[in-house]
């Protein structure tokens, strides 16, 4: 008798601690999507329908088309209700367990969540007996997610007249007909599609990591949202799924091409050479990009990318702080170069598209260049550099097609791998250039040879 009292006291203490922890955790009791739109009002509607305060047994069916948010709604409702029950169980993907392991597998999975001491049942009869005793005699909160076969609900043999009056069962299904014999008509909740504005918000967050699309991307975002039928799951995955399915190296190559190299219309082999210099395995990666329709090869043997795909890559790079930054527009480039303390995360920088005409000034011949050819030594190289990095670059600094760069601006860019500075004028000590630089294109470079102090 004493042992029974001790066990009872320990059980009450355990339940008290559990409730306090669950109350503290609130919505984080069960993992719910990090960003949701229109969910709170739906959760409240479900809670109003269940109304757990009166002590009565309830069965609520949540139904709707695939991808509309049934599981997310059930998880959120579960998190709100869990602290009100002694035993709680959320079973995801019941359909898969039912198909793979049959009824005993589903029953044993539920038992394992409701009581660790009952999970070791061996035979089918023992599992069925323990399952029936647990769900009928305890006050339980049971959520069965993704039921597609009414036979499963029949086979569970949950009898209403035997259920604890405080128990609640929530079932999600794509088909309302599956729920009709188990839940009353007034306890069926249909999850409808998001309205257009909420759909646009959700799409913008998952694709661009912002509350609303940028002005340049607004029209395209609206078209995509409309074509996807305003389904939350589709909106989360459609644009990121191809990119997120790539490994880190493939993602890096995709972003390098979309942000930096696609505008230059380079031959495919030249692009492959660039990535091989970076230590990548580009041939396999590029094949995957092509298979995912993220990249194509033209008849001229250059890479081509749809404008929408290119813009998506650029938006990802701009809005994802975890990625090294790629700079391709003049405003961002000049801002980064002026900030001598910044630029640590810059991976690639492209001044232009590589197709503009080289100004006449870029082809000026000097006597020092000839001297280097006749007598290649430190003295002639120094004289040549002074001429080219001084008089020549300063003389054409005012030209619109040219930019004067200071080598010291590149010093903070320790992660810089790709650099294109066609027709740019460069001044300063070349020892400040990043040691990790793997590719440099400098069409119109006035130097006959590179300085010996480049890292």
């Amino acid at each position: 008798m004493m042992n029974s009292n001790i066990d009872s006291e320990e059980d009450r203490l355990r339940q008290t601690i559990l409730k306090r922890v669950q109350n503290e955790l609130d919505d984080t009791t069960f993992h719910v999507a990090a960003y949701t739109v229109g969910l709170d009002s739906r959760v409240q509607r479900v809670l109003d329908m269940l109304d757990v305060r009166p002590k009565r047994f309830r069965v609520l069916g949540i139904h709707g088309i695939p991808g509309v948010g049934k599981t997310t709604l059930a998880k959120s409702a579960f998190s709100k209700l869990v602290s009100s029950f002694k035993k709680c169980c959320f079973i995801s993907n019941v359909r898969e367990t039912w198909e793979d392991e049959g009824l005993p597998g589903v029953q044993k999975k539920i038992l394992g969540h409701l009581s660790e001491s009952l999970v070791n049942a061996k035979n089918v009869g023992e599992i069925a007996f323990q399952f029936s005793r647990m769900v009928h005699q305890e006050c339980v909160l049971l959520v069965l997610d993704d039921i597609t076969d009414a036979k499963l609900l029949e086979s569970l043999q949950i009898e209403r007249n035997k259920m604890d009056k405080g128990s609640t069962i929530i079932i999600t299904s794509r088909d309302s007909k599956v729920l009709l014999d188990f839940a009353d008509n007034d306890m069926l909740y249909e999850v409808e599609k998001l309205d257009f504005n909420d759909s646009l918000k959700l799409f913008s967050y998952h694709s661009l990591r912002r509350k609303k699309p940028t002005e340049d991307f607004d029209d395209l975002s609206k078209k995509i949202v409309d074509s996807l039928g305003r389904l939350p799951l589709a909106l989360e995955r459609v644009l990121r799924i191809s990119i997120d399915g790539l490994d880190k190296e493939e993602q890096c190559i995709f972003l390098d091409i979309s942000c930096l190299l696609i505008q230059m219309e380079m031959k495919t082999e030249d692009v492959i050479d660039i990535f091989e210099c970076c230590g990548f395995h580009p041939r396999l990666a590029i094949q995957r990009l092509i298979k995912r329709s993220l990249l194509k090869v033209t008849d001229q043997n250059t890479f081509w990318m749809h404008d929408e795909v290119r813009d998506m890559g650029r938006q990802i790079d701009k809005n994802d702080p975890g990625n090294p930054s790629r700079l391709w527009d003049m405003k961002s480039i000049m801002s980064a170069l002026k900030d001598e303390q910044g630029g640590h995360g810059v991976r690639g920088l492209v001044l232009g598209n590589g197709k503009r005409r080289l100004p006449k000034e870029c082809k000026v011949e000097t006597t020092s260049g000839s001297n280097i050819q006749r007598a290649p030594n430190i003295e002639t190289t120094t004289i040549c550099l002074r001429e080219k990095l001084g008089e020549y670059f300063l003389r054409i600094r005012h030209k619109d097609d040219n930019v004067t760069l200071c080598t010291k601006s590149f010093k903070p860019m320790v992660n810089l791998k790709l650099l294109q500075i066609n027709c740019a004028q460069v001044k300063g000590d070349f020892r400040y250039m990043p040691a990790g630089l793997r590719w440099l294109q400098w069409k119109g470079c006035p130097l006959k040879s590179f300085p010996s102090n480049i890292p």
Side-chain angles (χ1 to χ4, degrees):
M1 190 70 178
M2 181 180 295
N3 289 337
S4 177
N5 289 336
I6 292 175
D7 291 342
S8 178
E9 185 65 29
E10 287 181 349
D11 184 63
R12 283 196 296 270
L13 179 60
R14 188 182 303 112
Q15 294 302 325
T16 300
I17 295 173
L18 176 62
K19 284 187 177 183
R20 287 183 180 178
V21 172
Q22 290 168 339
N23 284 330
E24 290 292 329
L25 291 174
D26 196 21
D27 284 350
T28 62
T29 303
F30 201 94
H31 174 71
V32 182
Y35 185 83
T36 59
V37 176
L39 181 62
D40 291 344
S41 59
R42 295 182 178 193
V43 173
Q44 189 56 53
R45 174 59 181 152
V46 167
L47 297 179
D48 291 342
M49 292 176 70
L50 288 172
D51 191 14
V52 297
R53 285 172 296 179
K55 287 293 183 178
R56 60 186 178 89
F57 173 59
R58 306 161 189 78
V59 177
L60 174 69
I62 298 175
H63 63 98
I65 60 178
V68 80
K70 300 182 296 296
T71 300
T72 298
L73 176 58
K75 286 179 178 180
S76 298
F78 180 84
S79 293
K80 294 287 186 181
L81 294 169
V82 68
S83 61
S84 300
F85 294 84
K86 293 181 179 179
K87 305 286 185 179
C88 303
C89 176
F90 189 109
I91 304 297
S92 301
N93 301 317
V94 176
R95 171 177 53 84
E96 294 182 6
T97 306
W98 166 253
E99 292 173 354
D100 295 341
E101 305 176 38
L103 178 64
V106 176
Q107 291 176 324
K108 192 169 184 179
K109 196 169 185 179
I110 295 173
L111 284 173
H113 282 75
L114 294 177
S115 176
E116 294 181 2
S117 61
L118 299 179
V119 75
N120 294 320
K122 301 295 183 181
N123 57 63
V124 173
E126 185 180 359
I127 292 173
F129 172 76
Q130 292 186 357
F131 174 81
S132 178
R133 186 177 65 176
M134 175 63 67
V135 299
H136 288 122
Q137 296 180 9
E138 297 281 355
C139 180
V140 299
L141 170 62
L142 176 61
V143 179
L144 302 175
D145 180 48
D146 194 17
I147 300 287
T148 56
D149 193 342
K151 292 181 181 179
L152 170 58
L153 296 177
E154 296 173 6
S155 301
L156 287 174
Q157 296 183 342
I158 297 177
E159 302 178 45
R160 288 174 171 268
N161 60 338
K162 292 183 179 180
M163 292 294 294
D164 185 284
K165 290 184 178 181
S167 293
T168 293
I169 297 177
I170 299 175
I171 305 168
T172 74
S173 178
R174 305 174 183 181
D175 188 355
S176 61
K177 294 179 181 178
V178 173
L179 306 171
L180 289 177
D181 293 336
F182 202 75
D184 297 331
N185 286 333
D186 62 346
M187 291 297 285
L188 294 179
Y189 179 82
E190 181 178 6
V191 184
E192 297 180 350
K193 297 178 183 178
L194 296 173
D195 64 38
F196 188 83
N197 289 332
D198 283 346
S199 298
L200 191 60
K201 289 180 184 177
L202 189 63
F203 171 80
S204 183
Y205 172 80
H206 286 288
S207 60
L208 308 176
R209 290 297 189 268
R210 53 191 300 139
K211 291 184 178 179
K212 62 180 182 179
T214 59
E215 184 176 347
D216 294 339
F217 209 62
D218 188 63
D219 289 340
L220 176 61
S221 297
K222 290 177 179 178
K223 290 178 182 178
I224 293 174
V225 167
D226 190 57
S227 66
L228 291 175
R230 308 194 309 278
L231 298 176
L233 191 58
L235 293 169
E236 292 176 18
R237 293 180 180 177
V238 66
L239 284 184
R240 292 299 294 248
I241 191 167
S242 290
I243 298 171
D244 288 345
L246 304 172
D247 62 32
K248 290 184 178 180
E249 180 175 306
E250 292 163 347
Q251 287 187 23
C252 186
I253 289 176
F254 167 74
L255 293 177
D256 282 346
I257 293 176
S258 61
C259 296
L260 305 174
L261 303 178
I262 197 65
Q263 60 184 323
M264 301 176 65
E265 298 185 2
M266 300 174 66
K267 296 296 184 181
T268 56
E269 285 301 317
D270 293 336
V271 174
I272 289 172
D273 287 342
I274 291 172
F275 290 122
E276 286 180 341
C277 289
C278 292
F280 291 159
H281 301 86
R283 296 186 187 277
L284 291 177
I286 287 172
Q287 286 178 9
R288 290 204 68 192
L289 296 180
I290 293 172
K291 287 181 180 180
R292 288 172 177 262
S293 299
L294 296 171
L295 192 65
K296 292 184 179 180
V297 178
T298 69
D299 293 337
Q300 292 74 39
N301 200 30
T302 61
F303 287 120
W304 179 87
M305 186 177 286
H306 197 285
D307 289 350
E308 296 170 4
V309 177
R310 178 202 63 198
D311 292 344
M312 175 57 64
R314 293 180 174 185
Q315 285 294 148
I316 291 172
D317 186 78
K318 281 185 176 180
N319 292 289
D320 192 342
N323 279 338
S325 178
R326 298 158 177 88
L327 306 178
W328 62 90
D329 65 278
M330 188 59 67
K331 184 178 179 180
S332 299
I333 290 172
M334 299 313 296
S335 176
L337 292 175
K338 288 177 181 178
D339 182 9
E340 295 186 358
Q341 301 302 317
H344 182 273
V346 175
R347 170 181 168 78
L349 187 155
V350 172
L351 270 181
N353 59 19
K355 298 181 291 181
R356 63 185 180 180
R357 289 184 180 179
L358 301 183
K360 294 179 180 179
E361 288 86 347
C362 289
K363 301 176 183 178
V364 171
E365 294 290 336
T366 63
T367 57
S368 59
S370 301
N371 291 335
I372 288 181
Q373 291 180 348
R374 290 194 300 267
N377 54 49
I378 295 178
E379 183 179 358
T380 55
T381 300
T382 301
I383 294 173
C384 179
L385 284 176
R386 285 175 180 172
E387 281 189 18
K388 304 224 180 255
L389 298 181
E391 178 185 353
Y392 171 74
F393 291 134
L394 293 176
R395 178 164 55 87
I396 62 173
R397 180 186 297 181
H398 66 280
K399 295 291 186 180
D400 291 337
D401 286 340
N402 298 283
V403 177
T404 299
L405 305 176
C406 177
T407 57
K408 199 170 183 179
S409 299
F410 293 95
K411 184 179 180 181
M413 299 184 182
V414 293
N415 290 305
L416 187 67
K417 304 295 182 185
L418 312 175
L419 178 62
Q420 187 259 67
I421 50 174
N422 289 347
C423 300
Q425 318 309 319
V426 179
K427 63 178 182 178
D429 193 331
F430 278 86
R431 66 187 175 87
Y432 291 120
M433 299 300 289
L437 191 64
R438 292 293 176 265
W439 173 74
L440 170 64
Q441 185 183 84
W442 191 1
K443 292 181 180 180
C445 171
L447 304 179
K448 297 300 182 179
S449 63
F450 281 98
S452 60
N453 62 344
I454 290 182

